Amino acid sequence: MDYGTVKTPQDLKRLDISQLDGLCDYLRGRIIDTVESNGGHLASNLGAVELTVALHYVFDCPHDKFVFDVGHQAYAHKLLTGRGDRFDRLRKNDGISGFPLPDESEYDAFGTGHASTSLSVALGLAEASARLGDGGRAIAVIGDGALTGGLAYEALNAIGSERLPVVIVLNDNNMSISKNVGAMSKYLTRLRLSKKYLRIKTEIKRAVSIIPLLGDGALHLLDKGKRLLKRVVLSNKMFEAMGISYYGPFDGHNVGELIEVFSQAKRKGGPVIVHVMTDKGKGLRSAVTDPEHSHGISSSDAGATHDFSSVLGDFLTDAATRDKRVTAVTAAMAIGTGLEKFSLSHPDMFKDVGIAEEHAVTYCAALAAGGLKPYFAVYSTFLQRSFDQLLHDVCIGGYAVTLCVDRAGAVGADGVTHQGVFDLSYLTVLPNMTVMCPTDGAELRAMLEFSLTYDAPLAIRYPKSYTVDREHTPIEYGKWETVRESKSDITVLCAGGRALDIALAAADRVDVRVVNARFVKPLDVGFLREHGKKGCTFITVEDNVAHGGFGCAVTEYLNSVNSAARCVVLAHADAFIDDRSVDGALAASGITKDNLIKIVKSLE
Ligand SMILES: Cc1ncc(C[n+]2csc(CCOP(=O)(O)OP(=O)(O)O)c2C)c(N)n1
């Protein structure tokens, strides 16, 4: 059969169950081929194929609302909901998003990208359906990794107390990006083992019938079996006690079994959790054997060549041998933030707290309060959810937490949900917070060295990569570095490496002073005073939104001292960036060499 003709859930429902394994093979092939060329989330998608097929077979999407947590496992869903023909343009500007997007398809009930939101979303959608009387159900697909996020528990708390038809498919592969962590993960392992224990139960029954023939040894075994069984029965009760029926665990790659259990969950009416066990990377040997490094595959990143994250990892690994207070914290992103090496060399000084950015920040504040030296390495976009923890727990107390804010600025193919263009705004607004932007690896190292003796909240923000290491003047608190001197009245102030690369390229064509504004907070007000005379212009360049960003701070300062100097701000507009390439996102906001040259010429 040509499975390419299965384009919609209606086409799928016409198939016989015996044909579904073939369909799954076909979907896997499409996913592997496309991710190989476009990049994307590989292992998570391969693990979710059967459960997605079974959900579409049983439920009636889009009338029933499917919500994929994180949304990084929704490729099969996309292939089955009218997007197969465009799938080869996955993550491209003219193609389809790597995450569910309601604007892209009516089958995507809600947009996702950040973890642990799906349960709140499903409950809200179920409530809306109930109130509007349309009879729709809400189905959340959530991984065991996403279930480490606090928001998921807030939602479970609410779901258990409502009687709405929310079906939670817990896609448990024992992995987040790295091995999953925490007590809930251990609990799920116990539930998985319960399958084995249920088998023991049958054995026990059989043994009881022949005990008179077996003697004391058998009695001992029997006792042990009963104890195990009691633990299992008790452990199954957690979700039930919260008012959520628990079905499972089931083999998440057995489509027939999944169809049966999803049908039961559908009939049930109230909230149900269906626990399915899957293999991350299923169907591709390299992904199964190394799911961590097959979680996300990046398409080749033209231009920039060096990763900031490995500079961080190397520095902290070395610093931890010199300073026993150093503690590296990640929220399930050890590989992406460069901490993998640290985790192996200093396991006792490393903490993966799971997808729990709020917890991580408050935890770091307390580590610092207790006398340790915590470094929280986190992607800019995921730190967004920790704003109150930064304010209430870190900054009011002034604790020496160092935030290593990775993937700052435009991020490329992951798209709108992952752009790191808000951090300068949400960090600089915090009293007591110092914010630095390294322009290259050498400067990041210098800033980290500075951080070791700096005793207050500090954020160091940088994108994924940089182009080249340059010579630098030593770090001096609150002081900028002039990179190219000029007699010109125009000074380009750069926040970060991308800005500096643009400014230096422009300075080859027009006469301007170029400054590395390595401290975004505090500003180098001495410099601004000295170069902010009448007739002078500052042009700020940053890979952040304009509101609350670097240029905004410079403008605000100049206004506050009634300076005669002008400030032109090059930053992202007040709009979400949906461009799926870094250069495209920068160009869309005019953060380019050519635009900078144009502005300088218009001022001359
Ligand atoms: C708030 C937040 N933090 C971190 C991430 C990065 N991230 C994407 S997927 C993922 C692991 C998710 O694990 P799980 O839910 O078990 O799904 P799996 O990939 O194992 O199928 C992480 C940490 C994110 N998307 N959102």
Side-chain angles (χ1 to χ4, degrees):
M1 139 141 217
D2 174 9
Y3 289 106
T5 60
V6 182
K7 292 177 190 290
T8 65
Q10 292 70 37
D11 298 335
L12 168 64
K13 286 179 206 297
R14 278 194 284 273
L15 299 185
D16 189 80
I17 291 183
S18 63
Q19 294 174 290
L20 298 183
D21 282 338
L23 175 65
C24 291
D25 288 344
Y26 165 79
L27 295 171
R28 276 208 170 80
R30 292 287 310 269
I31 291 168
I32 292 168
D33 289 348
T34 306
V35 173
E36 254 168 27
S37 65
N38 298 18
H41 288 95
L42 182 60
S44 318
N45 277 292
L46 293 177
V49 170
E50 283 83 6
L51 72 86
T52 305
V53 166
L55 282 175
H56 276 294
Y57 203 77
V58 171
F59 291 95
D60 186 14
C61 183
H63 180 62
D64 293 326
K65 311 282 190 303
F66 287 15
V67 189
F68 290 91
D69 205 290
V70 183
H72 66 312
Q73 75 293 54
Y75 294 175
H77 165 74
K78 294 205 172 208
L79 284 163
L80 292 170
T81 52
R83 287 167 275 184
D85 296 339
R86 287 182 289 152
F87 195 66
D88 60 336
R89 304 300 298 156
L90 181 75
R91 290 158 50 92
K92 304 283 183 201
N93 271 336
D94 59 348
I96 59 176
S97 165
F99 296 93
L101 209 55
D103 279 350
E104 186 181 283
S105 166
E106 59 171 335
Y107 291 97
D108 293 355
F110 206 88
T112 43
H114 289 198
S116 317
T117 65
S118 65
L119 304 187
S120 303
V121 174
L123 183 62
L125 293 172
E127 170 78 18
S129 279
R131 293 257 292 279
L132 299 177
D134 69 19
R137 295 169 182 78
I139 296 96
V141 176
I142 183 167
D144 56 305
L147 202 61
T148 56
L151 182 57
Y153 295 89
E154 296 176 25
L156 277 177
N157 197 33
I159 289 170
S161 66
E162 310 265 355
R163 299 312 304 156
L164 291 166
V166 175
V167 176
I168 301 167
V169 179
L170 172 56
N171 173 15
D172 179 8
N173 52 27
N174 210 9
M175 299 287 293
S176 193
I177 291 178
S178 302
K179 192 108 185 75
N180 204 7
V181 296
M184 175 50 84
S185 171
K186 285 199 184 118
Y187 172 65
L188 294 179
T189 305
R190 250 167 67 192
L191 290 182
R192 276 197 301 275
L193 292 176
S194 68
K195 259 242 140 90
K196 259 194 216 150
Y197 296 157
L198 291 178
R199 235 181 291 125
I200 297 176
K201 188 176 168 184
T202 323
E203 305 276 305
I204 290 173
K205 267 197 188 148
R206 201 177 54 82
V208 169
S209 63
I210 55 170
I211 269 183
L213 312 172
L214 293 179
D216 284 356
L219 268 179
H220 174 72
L221 273 179
L222 189 62
D223 237 29
K224 198 170 154 199
K226 274 187 178 161
R227 278 202 308 275
L228 286 175
L229 200 59
K230 202 163 153 200
R231 271 203 353 228
V232 171
V233 172
L234 283 179
S235 66
N236 274 341
K237 290 276 186 253
M238 187 190 119
F239 294 113
E240 301 269 348
M242 292 181 77
I244 306 171
S245 302
Y246 171 89
Y247 297 172
F250 296 97
D251 174 358
H253 299 300
N254 182 334
V255 194
E257 186 169 291
L258 290 175
I259 288 175
E260 231 170 82
V261 65
F262 290 155
S263 304
Q264 267 182 48
K266 182 177 172 180
R267 279 194 297 274
K268 174 84 185 166
V272 180
I273 185 159
V274 182
H275 183 181
V276 306
M277 300 176 294
T278 58
D279 298 329
K280 197 158 176 168
K282 173 85 177 171
L284 184 66
R285 189 196 299 259
S286 58
V288 173
T289 49
D290 189 4
E292 283 184 85
H293 295 96
S294 313
H295 176 87
I297 308 288
S298 46
S299 54
S300 57
D301 186 3
T305 45
H306 309 284
D307 280 351
F308 275 111
S309 56
S310 48
V311 174
L312 174 76
D314 288 346
F315 178 90
L316 287 181
T317 302
D318 173 55
T321 58
R322 292 185 270 142
D323 185 341
K324 291 296 161 208
R325 299 170 311 143
V326 166
T327 309
V329 176
T330 177
M333 302 296 289
I335 296 176
T337 57
L339 293 183
E340 195 181 16
K341 181 171 153 190
F342 186 103
S343 72
L344 299 171
S345 61
H346 301 287
D348 297 340
M349 301 161 89
F350 168 79
K351 295 287 171 201
D352 179 352
V353 298
I355 305 175
E357 290 81 1
E358 299 99 312
H359 163 66
V361 168
T362 300
Y363 175 63
C364 283
L367 290 177
L372 294 179
K373 185 73 187 160
Y375 287 80
F376 180 31
V378 56
Y379 285 14
S380 165
T381 191
F382 303 139
L383 185 60
Q384 284 163 191
R385 53 177 56 183
S386 308
F387 183 74
D388 185 54
Q389 288 72 25
L390 290 171
L391 191 155
H392 179 268
D393 301 320
V394 175
C395 287
I396 290 180
Y399 293 114
V401 173
T402 303
L403 304 166
C404 303
V405 185
D406 203 328
R407 301 311 196 269
V411 294
D414 279 339
V416 64
T417 51
H418 284 58
Q419 303 293 355
V421 296
F422 302 100
D423 58 84
L424 288 182
S425 309
Y426 69 74
L427 290 168
T428 55
V429 80
L430 294 166
N432 287 342
M433 178 65 82
T434 291
V435 182
M436 301 167 94
C437 298
T439 54
D440 57 39
E443 195 174 25
L444 173 58
R445 262 188 298 277
M447 289 179 175
L448 289 165
E449 196 61 54
F450 166 85
S451 74
L452 283 172
T453 52
Y454 184 68
D455 195 25
L458 174 65
I460 306 176
R461 70 92 81 168
Y462 43 84
K464 183 174 194 301
S465 46
Y466 61 95
T467 46
V468 65
D469 276 318
R470 298 187 176 92
E471 294 275 319
H472 291 283
T473 56
I475 305 283
E476 211 182 314
Y477 189 78
K479 291 278 175 264
W480 293 342
E481 175 192 45
T482 300
V483 177
R484 188 173 298 191
E485 200 37 288
S486 157
K487 296 253 176 303
S488 169
D489 289 335
I490 302 171
T491 303
V492 183
L493 302 172
C494 306
R498 285 178 181 165
L500 186 62
D501 285 347
I502 288 170
L504 286 175
D508 287 340
R509 301 260 307 279
V510 285
D511 183 22
V512 288
R513 182 181 298 104
V514 177
V515 168
N516 169 15
R518 46 168 57 148
F519 282 84
V520 165
K521 187 182 180 183
L523 298 173
D524 187 343
V525 293
F527 183 94
L528 290 174
R529 236 180 286 131
E530 186 186 335
H531 294 275
K533 310 259 159 56
K534 194 165 172 9
C536 293
T537 303
F538 296 110
I539 305 174
T540 59
V541 187
E542 69 199 289
D543 191 3
N544 190 84
V545 290
H547 287 302
F550 172 55
C552 188
V554 171
T555 308
E556 205 173 80
Y557 170 75
L558 294 174
N559 287 341
S560 75
V561 295
N562 209 10
S563 168
R566 279 191 296 175
C567 183
V568 179
V569 176
L570 267 193
H572 292 292
D574 180 23
F576 287 109
I577 298 172
D578 61 7
D579 197 292
R580 294 178 189 136
S581 75
V582 172
D583 288 345
L586 292 170
S589 299
I591 308 170
T592 60
K593 174 191 75 172
D594 290 343
N595 195 35
L596 184 54
I597 292 170
K598 208 168 96 191
I599 292 169
V600 172
K601 284 187 170 161
S602 75
L603 291 168
E604 280 169 350

